[in-house]
Amino acid sequence: MMQRLVDNFLAVTKESVKTISYEWLNIILKLINGVSAMLLAILPGKTNMLEGIHGWELRPSFRGPRLPRWMENGVSSFNQFVHELSMDSDSASSVDYSSGEDVDYDDDDDDGNISPASPSSQGSRFSRASSYTRRRKNWANLIFSMFVWLLLPARLILGIPYYLYSVFFSRGLKGPTSSPGRFQTSHVHAGRKALDHVVQRATDKRRGVIEDLHLGMEILIETIFDGIHKIAACFLSPLDSLRALFKWSSADDSSAYVATATLAEDDPAPTERKTRLNSSLNTDARTCQDVITELGYPYEAIRVVTDDGYVLLLERIPRRDARKAVYLQHGVFDSSMGWVSNGVVGSPAFAAFDQGYDVFLGNFRGLVSREHVNKNLSSREYWRYSINENGIEDTPAMIEKIHEVKTSELKSRSERDTTEETNTEQPYKLCAICHSLGGAAILMYLITRRIEQKPHRLSRIILLSPAGFHHDSTIAFTALEYFLLWFAPVLQPLIPGFYIPTRFFRMLMNKLARDFHNYPAVGGVVQTLMGYLLGGDSSNWVGVLGLPHYNMNDMPGVSFGIALHLAQMKHARKFRMFDYGSPSANMRAYGSPEPLDLGEYYGLIDVPVDLVAGRKDRVIRPSMVRKHYRLMKDAGVEASYNEFEYAHLDFTFSHREELMGYVMSRLLLVVPNTKAKSLRLKKKDGEVVAKQETSS
């Protein structure tokens, strides 16, 4: 009797402590979110941020919004099924992610039309709610919380008899765990969970820091009261305690494992498997391969080694018999994940594949894992590179690997097909789509290959907000420019690269991105601060931080040399190669005391170039993209220019139909050439002079 009274007292006390702790934590969080909302209301131009901005979501998506008109006949039935299934599952599982206060909305577009809500929000059915309804809900929640606090003593008093009743009378209702009915029910639930697992694999199931704090508080409270309960049991029933201690000491370690079975195995019998750290921490560590294969596309990983020993990952969505291929290259602090982050119909990689292209996704050097043939390479030595190495080491290595793979596959196919005519030219057409830093690297690659009289394999390049010219920028970037130029000799030995070096802080950032979604006002403040630091750019910086390639295992970084190189180009007002700091060092690298000015050699570009700028882009302004265009037109390059209402990251992380349609239309312009151009380079007074000849 005494044991039962002690158990009931500890149980009621434990639940009271949990309730008080949760309520205080929720009050603090609501206060922080409220203060953040007040700051957004005060900041100029940020009042309507929580109402939703077109293309700006705090939770990234791995699906597209709907099938665009230009792709109605270009998506396979299976991928369309996966797309619709993931859309349905997102609305069904949205309760797991957000409360009633976290609904994302989309503003009117420029034409006055209501834009459909993105699949990463609660769904388009909720996106029509007005701000008046939301304010009514907030007031209702506030009044309800006040009543809850006022009625807390009554809840505790009424909860004690209910708990005693459940403790005394529920024990007799528990049946044996091996009953047939329980066995069948568990199998039904297991089947449903398996189906839910398939449907929701492409959704974000992470826990944030706040959710971990809730869980940690519960575990701590449970542990403390469990210890108190055991101590009380030792004093009240010592014989039972001795029996339990004897059973515990004689038990084996098999209880630490979980019996699981995997479908499609030869022997689907349950096996014992340890839980992984990622599962227990609920972090999102998916790779580009996971996203591609989960959405039903084929995948291939190709290991590429550069001449200076860096190991790169060239990823592929293979279409081996295709005679048209596309190479996609990311920008700063990004990876191949950016080209697949919007799912089946919203990502350039999947769109190109569905249009018949063999898709290759490039990854520059610069990961925390520091992949290199020299396993003993130090961090300082690994991060010692600039944009030069991206353009003359990484890009050539990946494109030559693409050429090797495609030539081998198509040659094998032509040997099997005896009716096909032999062709000594390149058997495929390769287009490049590059964003930001990737655009500067592909231009550097093409020009240097032409100077060296080596083939570049490209048929067309599409540059989305390319880097290269940066002198028209904001005060923030100008201040950063002079800071890097003045303090480079001191900072470069101390800070070889910009990245998060430890697993703990990478995990913390991954989880904070989850919290920024759960508390949108806090996320809005962080988004605003990051936009101010980056020149006022309105890109979805917070949402990008939540992408899986920013995880505890690995993440992209940027070397100090790349930041310094960008500062040099901005200061010189030229698109040129890295300045090594002295005429002698530049002479050894380039054969001249000054770095090579790439803008002066745009006449060597012998393929069509499509330049795209964003009117809302504050990182690389449209005027800087237009400078590329003017220099190319003056040099006789076949170039085109277009602008969209985009910020800097919208070119890869936003699923807007107009950009996708434009990019696909430019790719379809690639046709076999009837005339070939040859290039003769002559030396005249120490300068390279190019002359083009056309032959039929």
Side-chain angles (χ1 to χ4, degrees):
M1 185 65 182
M2 181 62 67
Q3 178 69 41
R4 185 173 298 174
L5 290 176
V6 171
D7 291 345
N8 294 336
F9 174 77
L10 291 177
V12 173
T13 307
K14 179 178 68 176
E15 294 301 321
S16 301
V17 172
K18 282 184 180 181
T19 302
I20 294 173
S21 302
Y22 292 162
E23 292 296 335
W24 274 108
L25 181 60
N26 289 331
I27 288 176
I28 295 172
L29 294 175
K30 289 180 179 179
L31 178 63
I32 294 174
N33 200 54
V35 172
S36 301
M38 183 177 65
L39 290 176
L40 289 177
I42 296 174
L43 292 174
K46 303 299 179 181
T47 306
N48 297 326
M49 176 172 283
L50 296 182
E51 297 296 329
I53 300 177
H54 183 69
W56 188 85
E57 307 87 21
L58 287 179
R59 179 163 66 89
S61 169
F62 290 94
R63 295 166 307 283
R66 60 185 175 87
L67 292 179
R69 291 186 299 273
W70 57 273
M71 287 186 64
E72 289 178 353
N73 298 323
V75 181
S76 65
S77 58
F78 174 74
N79 289 326
Q80 184 173 356
F81 167 74
V82 173
H83 164 65
E84 294 173 352
L85 194 62
S86 61
M87 289 284 290
D88 294 338
S89 67
D90 185 66
S91 61
S93 60
S94 59
V95 180
D96 299 335
Y97 302 122
S98 307
S99 63
E101 301 174 3
D102 296 346
V103 180
D104 292 336
Y105 303 90
D106 285 353
D107 279 344
D108 296 358
D109 57 18
D110 297 334
D111 299 330
N113 300 322
I114 302 295
S115 303
S118 70
S120 61
S121 63
Q122 295 269 352
S124 59
R125 71 187 67 178
F126 299 114
S127 63
R128 309 300 185 190
S130 63
S131 58
Y132 175 72
T133 306
R134 295 179 63 197
R135 285 195 293 269
R136 288 185 60 186
K137 289 182 179 179
N138 292 336
W139 277 107
N141 290 335
L142 180 61
I143 296 174
F144 178 75
S145 300
M146 294 175 61
F147 273 106
V148 167
W149 276 99
L150 292 175
L151 297 177
L152 181 61
R155 289 172 59 191
L156 294 176
I157 295 174
L158 296 176
I160 293 175
Y162 176 78
Y163 183 81
L164 294 177
Y165 173 82
S166 62
V167 169
F168 292 150
F169 294 97
S170 62
R171 293 180 180 177
L173 300 177
K174 294 182 179 179
T177 59
S178 59
S179 62
R182 183 183 179 91
F183 178 80
Q184 295 174 2
T185 305
S186 64
H187 273 66
V188 171
H189 288 300
R192 291 176 180 174
K193 289 183 178 180
L195 179 60
D196 292 340
H197 176 72
V198 172
V199 171
Q200 299 174 4
R201 281 278 290 181
T203 58
D204 188 358
K205 289 293 186 182
R206 293 169 297 155
R207 284 199 309 262
V209 175
I210 304 302
E211 292 167 302
D212 281 342
L213 185 59
H214 274 280
L215 182 62
M217 288 175 52
E218 184 170 357
I219 292 175
L220 178 62
I221 295 172
E222 289 282 353
T223 303
I224 292 175
F225 278 90
D226 186 59
I228 296 174
H229 178 268
K230 286 183 171 59
I231 293 173
C234 290
F235 286 101
L236 296 176
S237 54
L239 294 178
D240 294 338
S241 300
L242 290 175
R243 293 193 198 97
L245 180 62
F246 177 75
K247 291 181 180 179
W248 175 78
S249 61
S250 60
D252 54 13
D253 296 333
S254 60
S255 59
Y257 297 88
V258 180
T260 61
T262 304
L263 296 177
E265 287 185 348
D266 295 335
D267 184 12
T271 57
E272 294 177 350
R273 181 181 64 186
K274 291 183 178 180
T275 57
R276 296 186 301 176
L277 181 62
N278 285 350
S279 301
S280 61
L281 294 175
N282 271 47
T283 58
D284 190 2
R286 283 174 295 173
T287 62
C288 186
Q289 175 183 357
D290 296 328
V291 175
I292 292 173
T293 55
E294 286 169 6
L295 292 174
Y297 286 82
Y299 176 84
E300 180 182 346
I302 303 174
R303 185 174 180 265
V304 179
V305 180
T306 64
D307 291 339
D308 53 354
Y310 285 78
V311 180
L312 310 177
L313 177 62
L314 179 64
E315 299 178 279
R316 183 186 186 191
I317 309 178
R319 193 183 288 275
R320 305 185 192 283
D321 58 345
R323 292 192 174 273
K324 50 184 182 179
V326 60
Y327 164 69
L328 297 102
Q329 185 56 61
H330 63 78
V332 176
F333 281 118
D334 196 7
S335 72
S336 57
M337 181 70 75
W339 302 110
V340 299
S341 60
N342 285 314
V344 174
V345 299
S347 301
F350 297 136
F353 180 85
D354 289 332
Q355 294 298 315
Y357 282 84
D358 194 354
V359 180
F360 293 87
L361 309 173
N363 288 280
F364 281 145
R365 64 184 69 188
L367 292 173
V368 176
S369 55
R370 301 203 305 268
E371 298 293 333
H372 198 275
V373 293
N374 182 9
K375 300 302 181 183
N376 298 322
L377 189 72
S378 65
S379 175
R380 183 172 300 175
E381 293 173 337
Y382 176 86
W383 294 99
R384 190 178 297 165
Y385 63 88
S386 65
I387 305 177
N388 281 19
E389 283 68 28
N390 294 143
I392 62 178
E393 295 287 350
D394 296 351
T395 306
M398 288 186 284
I399 290 182
E400 286 304 309
K401 178 60 72 172
I402 293 172
H403 178 70
E404 176 186 341
V405 170
K406 290 300 295 179
T407 303
S408 175
E409 291 175 349
L410 294 176
K411 182 179 179 181
S412 301
R413 180 175 177 271
S414 64
E415 288 176 353
R416 292 193 302 267
D417 189 2
T418 58
T419 62
E420 185 173 355
E421 297 180 359
T422 59
N423 191 353
T424 58
E425 296 182 356
Q426 183 173 301
Y428 65 96
K429 296 294 182 181
L430 178 63
C431 301
I433 303 175
C434 305
H435 176 242
S436 190
L437 180 68
I442 201 73
L443 288 173
M444 185 183 296
Y445 158 76
L446 195 152
I447 293 171
T448 55
R449 298 288 283 194
R450 294 282 284 164
I451 291 176
E452 296 171 357
Q453 294 183 305
K454 296 180 180 179
H456 55 69
R457 318 294 183 189
L458 297 172
S459 299
R460 191 180 198 97
I461 56 177
I462 301 171
L463 307 179
L464 309 177
S465 188
F469 296 105
H470 304 275
H471 50 272
D472 181 13
S473 63
T474 60
I475 299 177
F477 283 117
T478 303
L480 181 60
E481 166 201 343
Y482 284 101
F483 177 80
L484 291 173
L485 293 175
W486 289 346
F487 296 100
V490 178
L491 295 176
Q492 195 161 12
L494 300 176
I495 309 174
F498 301 96
Y499 60 96
I500 300 178
T502 63
R503 287 172 55 86
F504 172 76
F505 286 105
R506 292 197 295 269
M507 177 195 69
L508 183 63
M509 187 184 71
N510 190 271
K511 286 180 171 293
L512 284 174
R514 176 73 257 172
D515 292 322
F516 294 152
H517 166 70
N518 292 338
Y519 299 91
V522 179
V525 171
V526 175
Q527 166 74 22
T528 302
L529 294 177
M530 294 183 68
Y532 285 157
L533 291 175
L534 295 166
D537 189 81
S538 61
S539 299
N540 184 8
W541 301 99
V542 170
V544 171
L545 288 178
L547 287 174
H549 63 319
Y550 288 100
N551 60 72
M552 61 188 298
N553 299 321
D554 207 356
M555 67 178 295
V558 171
S559 70
F560 186 88
I562 287 183
L564 181 60
H565 195 174
L566 292 171
Q568 290 176 357
M569 290 190 293
K570 184 179 185 305
H571 186 72
R573 305 172 71 90
K574 297 178 180 179
F575 176 29
R576 65 179 191 174
M577 302 186 77
F578 186 75
D579 187 352
Y580 290 96
S582 65
S584 59
N586 290 331
M587 185 67 70
R588 289 192 298 268
Y590 310 114
S592 64
E594 291 292 329
L596 189 68
D597 188 349
L598 298 170
E600 294 182 355
Y601 292 90
Y602 274 0
L604 302 181
I605 300 175
D606 61 341
V607 297
V609 180
D610 300 301
L611 296 155
V612 184
R615 298 189 187 99
K616 297 180 180 179
D617 194 338
R618 297 296 179 267
V619 178
I620 301 176
R621 291 187 170 182
S623 60
M624 298 292 92
V625 183
R626 285 195 295 269
K627 184 165 185 179
H628 284 286
Y629 175 70
R630 287 195 300 268
L631 290 175
M632 290 181 184
K633 295 299 288 185
D634 293 341
V637 180
E638 183 184 345
S640 68
Y641 176 81
N642 206 339
E643 288 185 6
F644 294 95
E645 289 290 335
Y646 290 176
H648 191 66
L649 297 184
D650 292 343
F651 291 103
T652 52
F653 296 105
S654 178
H655 40 65
R656 301 184 183 181
E657 180 181 341
E658 54 180 353
L659 176 66
M660 202 74 66
Y662 175 76
V663 171
M664 291 299 110
S665 67
R666 307 314 290 182
L667 286 181
L668 294 176
L669 293 178
V670 177
V671 294
N673 296 326
T674 58
K675 295 184 178 181
K677 291 182 179 180
S678 62
L679 180 70
R680 293 191 306 175
L681 295 178
K682 294 183 178 180
K683 286 279 187 175
K684 183 178 180 181
D685 299 331
E687 295 184 356
V688 178
V689 179
K691 183 179 180 182
Q692 292 183 352
E693 293 181 346
T694 303
S695 60
S696 57

